[in-house]
Amino acid sequence: STAATLSLRNARFVACDARDVDLSPGSIFYLYHPFRGDVASTVAHALGALAREKDIRIFSAGPLCGYGEFFEREVANGALRLHERRGAFSEAMVLFSARD
């Protein structure tokens, strides 16, 4: 498995539609512009809901339009806290649960 190849004992990689996976067991999410539009909106909302229940960390990299704006919406709604922006165009966001 990918986790074993990378010597990660507490990690699991899942290949599926991001809208259909149960995100609740996760605590760290790495999203590198994997989707946009409705899919990005659905995933950002699901992670925002999870952030209201427990502490999570998200590294999200992608353009603001059609992708990052949905994570910013979760910040504005109080579910997530923007810890920092990275990248030449500030396209990467490090987000924490606002409850932290």
Side-chain angles (χ1 to χ4, degrees):
S1 79
T2 302
T5 301
L6 296 171
S7 299
L8 299 172
R9 290 180 280 163
N10 295 321
R12 182 172 61 114
F13 293 83
V14 178
C16 65
D17 186 315
R19 294 169 291 188
D20 298 331
V21 69
D22 178 11
L23 300 173
S24 64
S27 58
I28 299 173
F29 299 89
Y30 179 81
L31 308 170
Y32 184 76
H33 189 228
F35 34 74
R36 37 185 324 114
D38 289 338
V39 177
S41 177
T42 299
V43 171
H45 181 72
L47 288 173
L50 184 60
R52 290 181 188 279
E53 296 174 16
K54 69 179 199 174
D55 296 336
I56 65 171
R57 304 282 187 268
I58 303 167
F59 177 87
S60 174
L64 178 60
C65 184
Y67 177 72
E69 67 200 64
F70 303 113
F71 292 92
E72 288 184 332
R73 178 187 64 202
E74 294 302 318
V75 171
N77 289 339
L80 296 171
R81 177 172 51 89
L82 180 61
H83 177 68
E84 68 178 298
R85 287 189 174 274
R86 297 180 183 172
F89 302 104
S90 297
E91 70 280 9
M93 294 182 277
V94 179
L95 303 147
F96 295 169
S97 296
R99 52 184 264 130
D100 273 355

